[in-house]
């Protein structure tokens, strides 16, 4: 009676990959709803061909995961900063130009381990207070200036834009 569960397969964070064989055996459980998959769109396409629901775990690949590999959505970091854009990227219609437009910002958000980039961005936009604790510290001044430039290029779709 634990309710539905999504498996997170995030080898870059955990050091372990949940193999396709293990995932397929988990997928038959009544509480399994799908997988956040971070091993790329080829893996997502494989799972969707087997009827396993997938959410992309890679913001930079999420648009193509949705529109080419069959993902149902994304578990996203960047959507905290550009929610309206990610809503469009995950919508029914492919948005390749918009996807290309946000790739530099997404790269900036992941220049250091998560959540450093997103916390820095949210502080810069006034959405959260600048509270950090070791080992996570905000981006240095040069990185913040780069992020400011990238967010300014995105414009009004940045969360907190007045």
């Amino acid at each position: 009676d634990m309710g539905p569960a999504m498996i997170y397969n995030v080898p870059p964070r955990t050091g372990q990959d949940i193999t396709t064989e293990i995932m397929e055996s988990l997928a038959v459980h009544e509480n399994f709803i799908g997988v956040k998959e971070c091993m790329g769109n080829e893996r997502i396409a494989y799972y969707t061909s087997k009827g396993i629901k997938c959410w992309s775990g890679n913001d930079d690949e999420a648009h193509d995961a949705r529109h080419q590999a069959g993902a149902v959505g994304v578990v996203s970091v960047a959507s905290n900063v550009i929610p309206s854009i990610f809503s469009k990227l995950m919508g029914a219609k492919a948005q390749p130009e918009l996807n290309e437009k946000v790739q530099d910002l997404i790269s900036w958000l992941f220049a250091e381990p998560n959540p450093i980039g997103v916390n820095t961005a949210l502080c810069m936009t006034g959405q959260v207070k600048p509270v950090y604790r070791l080992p996570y510290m905000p981006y240095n001044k040069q990185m913040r200036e780069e992020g400011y430039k990238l967010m300014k290029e995105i414009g009004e779709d940045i969360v907190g834009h007045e």
Side-chain angles (χ1 to χ4, degrees):
D1 292 355
M2 296 285 294
M6 176 189 293
I7 305 294
Y8 274 45
N9 188 33
V10 190
R13 295 281 274 188
T14 64
Q16 298 292 318
D17 179 23
I18 301 172
T19 66
T20 56
E21 294 79 17
I22 292 171
M23 194 65 70
E24 288 177 55
S25 69
L26 294 170
V28 299
H29 192 279
E30 65 184 53
N31 289 338
F32 180 91
I33 61 167
V35 57
K36 171 189 172 180
E37 183 56 64
C38 294
M39 289 301 290
N41 291 343
E42 187 174 314
R43 175 86 60 95
I44 289 171
Y46 172 79
Y47 285 146
T48 59
S49 76
K50 301 287 186 183
I52 297 172
K53 289 184 178 159
C54 292
W55 286 259
S56 176
N58 299 331
D59 288 4
D60 61 332
E61 298 177 343
H63 175 267
D64 293 345
R66 168 81 170 96
H67 297 286
Q68 296 172 10
V72 295
V74 61
V75 178
S76 171
V77 170
S79 65
N80 290 282
V81 180
I82 48 175
S84 64
I85 289 177
F86 258 82
S87 179
K88 292 173 187 169
L89 292 175
M90 295 295 105
K93 183 181 174 197
Q95 303 274 336
E97 296 84 14
L98 182 58
N99 183 51
E100 185 61 34
K101 179 180 178 180
V102 298
Q103 290 302 309
D104 287 342
L105 178 61
I106 291 171
S107 294
W108 179 84
L109 288 168
F110 289 94
E112 295 286 339
N114 188 36
I116 294 171
V118 70
N119 283 352
T120 300
L122 292 174
C123 285
M124 290 170 64
T125 61
Q127 299 307 297
V128 299
K129 293 179 181 175
V131 177
Y132 294 89
R133 65 178 189 268
L134 292 173
Y136 296 109
M137 298 303 293
Y139 282 157
N140 64 35
K141 184 178 179 185
Q142 179 182 350
M143 285 292 291
R144 290 193 310 270
E145 289 171 351
E146 180 183 337
Y148 177 80
K149 178 179 161 266
L150 292 168
M151 288 188 279
K152 189 170 178 154
E153 288 172 6
I154 300 291
E156 64 187 39
D157 288 312
I158 296 290
V159 69
H161 177 77
E162 300 300 327

